[in-house]
């Protein structure tokens, strides 16, 4: 089954992983990011990531909860 890639448009040079999780409606606040990342597998460009402050740039691909997100400008 092919996964659909959801584009997340940003107006800044980067967005933090915790902000992406909020934009994707996976968490309600930045404070929940640490817990979410400890309990769920999140891949950034195919590599496991657990730092909520990880900077995501255009063309980065994030896989979380069975969804793919691509950062774009």
């Amino acid at each position: 089954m092919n996964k659909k890639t959801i584009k997340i448009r940003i107006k800044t040079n980067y967005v933090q992983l915790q902000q992406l999780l909020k934009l994707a409606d996976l968490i309600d606040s930045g404070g929940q990011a640490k817990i979410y990342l400890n309990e769920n597998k999140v891949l950034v460009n195919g590599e496991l990531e657990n730092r909520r402050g990880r900077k995501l740039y255009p063309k980065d691909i994030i896989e979380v909860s069975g969804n793919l997100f691509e950062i774009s400008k």
Side-chain angles (χ1 to χ4, degrees), residues 6-15 20 23 56-62 69-73:
I6 301 163
K7 292 200 182 262
I8 301 289
R9 288 200 171 308
I10 61 173
K11 295 178 181 175
T12 56
N13 291 331
Y14 66 88
V15 64
L20 172 85
L23 290 170
L56 305 172
Y57 296 91
K59 300 198 178 173
D60 280 346
I61 303 289
I62 299 85
F69 299 93
E70 179 180 355
I71 305 299
S72 65
K73 270 266 202 199

Side-chain angles (χ1 to χ4, degrees), residues 18-72:
Q18 65 186 1
Q19 292 169 311
L20 172 85
L21 296 174
K22 283 174 57 177
L23 290 170
D25 288 329
L26 297 170
I27 61 173
D28 293 322
S29 69
Q32 294 175 328
K34 188 173 184 177
I35 297 166
Y36 186 89
L37 291 169
N38 283 333
E39 296 176 353
N40 297 277
K41 185 167 108 174
V42 176
L43 301 176
V44 176
N45 299 325
E47 296 182 9
L48 190 61
E49 184 57 72
N50 62 4
R51 296 173 293 164
R52 64 185 175 159
R54 163 75 186 261
K55 293 178 181 176
L56 305 172
Y57 296 91
K59 300 198 178 173
D60 280 346
I61 303 289
I62 299 85
E63 183 173 353
V64 59
S65 295
N67 295 305
L68 292 174
F69 299 93
E70 179 180 355
I71 305 299
S72 65

